[in-house]
Amino acid sequence: MRSEAAKMMMKTLLPLAIGLAVTAWLFYDDFNPDSFRDIDWNLQMVAGFALAWIFMLGRDFGLAWRFHTISQPELSWKRAFRVNYMCAFTSAVTPSAVGGSAFAIFYLNREGVKLGRATTLTLTTLFLDEMFFVVFCPIIMLSFPMDQLFASGADAGFMDGVEMVFWLVYAGICAWAAILFMGIIVKPQAVARAIKRLFSWKYLKRWRRSAFETADNMEGASQELRNCTTRWWLNVFGATVVSWFSRYLVVNALFWGFVPEASQTLIFARQFVVWVVLMVSPTPGGSGISEWLFTNYYGDLIASTSIALILALTWRIVSYYIYLVIGTVLVPFYFSKKAQT
């Protein structure tokens, strides 16, 4: 167990190094000392920074609320928060395409939830997250002109690339949400058979084992979730909305403090694009790519490049680096015998 803890702690160094290296490069390439000296530091900036931390706590509360609700009676609030922080830490040290959800089964099981039910709960959280994007992204897309979400004032090639990635990833989200909906709610047996038949093809042999396990888990999850009430579904989806909205409002808080003239609704809407694009980041926790994407994507709303760099770094401290710190503190304890207390 100590060796596992040591490995997890060592993994924090890679994303930390990537993120700091890209940030340093951005500062070196674009930072203007004169612009920095011209910044009017004031109390509103401090308030915006403090508000960003409050919203990040809202993100953690929403996810802990969801874990606590879906796992009753196994997970207390304390254990629900612990699972949330371990998943957040894992997301920070693994590529975004993997994320912390893939390890949630292990963390839930370690907290006393039986393995089969831990799998059910993890599939449920995955389904809820996908449904959040399926429901709210069309609302955002219909509420704002495309030339605002994918600002024409920014570099045309960059924005074309962001828009293409967004629509490709969103299409994948919709497809995966549909598979999960059919697999754990409507036709679990039929979907399981279809998945097994597909991955029996020799060209997909590499992923056959995990695909077969996913198919079997869908059938198991369906038996429990079909008995859940409408109130229960509204409760857990509400917790999902709270967690994602709080995560987005971190950027709103920072803009309110540093660039109060920027449109708060547009800033919020663009967060949907940012997080969808980051879902396919190949770096741990989106490190490096997140900082670069932020400064370029929000650049048309910020007059000063220095402010853009400060905002990008502050955003990552609040929403990313803090989980590396929390995880580094938790991991030795978590892999000890005291972890289930």
Side-chain angles (χ1 to χ4, degrees), residues 10-28:
M10 286 297 293
K11 286 183 179 180
T12 64
L13 298 177
L14 178 60
L16 183 62
I18 294 174
L20 292 178
V22 171
T23 302
W25 172 73
L26 289 171
F27 267 84
Y28 176 79

Side-chain angles (χ1 to χ4, degrees), residues 98-144:
V98 177
S101 298
F103 294 86
I105 297 173
F106 167 76
Y107 297 135
L108 288 166
N109 182 242
R110 187 160 178 79
E111 293 291 351
V113 180
K114 291 182 178 179
L115 187 60
R117 189 154 193 261
T119 304
T120 296
L121 301 184
T122 300
L123 283 173
T124 305
T125 59
L126 285 172
F127 174 65
L128 290 167
D129 285 332
E130 305 308 306
M131 284 304 300
F132 170 82
F133 287 100
V134 169
V135 171
F136 284 101
C137 274
I139 296 174
I140 294 298
M141 294 298 123
L142 293 172
S143 301
F144 292 87

Side-chain angles (χ1 to χ4, degrees), residues 83-95:
V83 170
N84 163 61
Y85 284 124
M86 288 303 299
C87 287
F89 171 68
T90 306
S91 295
V93 297
T94 57

Side-chain angles (χ1 to χ4, degrees), residues 56-203:
M56 209 60 207
L57 288 174
R59 176 263 184 204
D60 294 326
F61 169 75
L63 291 180
W65 171 20
R66 188 171 72 177
F67 277 125
H68 176 68
T69 302
I70 66 176
S71 63
Q72 287 183 347
E74 287 99 328
L75 284 192
S76 63
W77 275 102
K78 177 182 177 181
R79 292 186 175 189
F81 269 102
R82 195 157 57 200
V83 170
N84 163 61
Y85 284 124
M86 288 303 299
C87 287
F89 171 68
T90 306
S91 295
V93 297
T94 57
S96 299
V98 177
S101 298
F103 294 86
I105 297 173
F106 167 76
Y107 297 135
L108 288 166
N109 182 242
R110 187 160 178 79
E111 293 291 351
V113 180
K114 291 182 178 179
L115 187 60
R117 189 154 193 261
T119 304
T120 296
L121 301 184
T122 300
L123 283 173
T124 305
T125 59
L126 285 172
F127 174 65
L128 290 167
D129 285 332
E130 305 308 306
M131 284 304 300
F132 170 82
F133 287 100
V134 169
V135 171
F136 284 101
C137 274
I139 296 174
I140 294 298
M141 294 298 123
L142 293 172
S143 301
F144 292 87
M146 289 294 105
D147 62 352
Q148 289 187 25
L149 286 174
F150 304 100
S152 57
D155 178 77
F158 168 78
M159 292 314 303
D160 287 344
V162 169
E163 185 173 3
M164 181 182 68
V165 172
F166 171 81
W167 288 115
L168 287 174
V169 176
Y170 183 66
I173 289 173
C174 292
W176 180 227
I179 291 171
L180 287 173
F181 178 70
M182 294 297 294
I184 65 179
I185 304 295
V186 183
K187 296 283 187 181
Q189 291 82 12
V191 172
R193 286 196 302 269
I195 291 175
K196 289 180 179 180
R197 190 173 301 166
L198 175 65
F199 282 87
S200 295
W201 196 31
K202 63 179 181 179
Y203 296 106

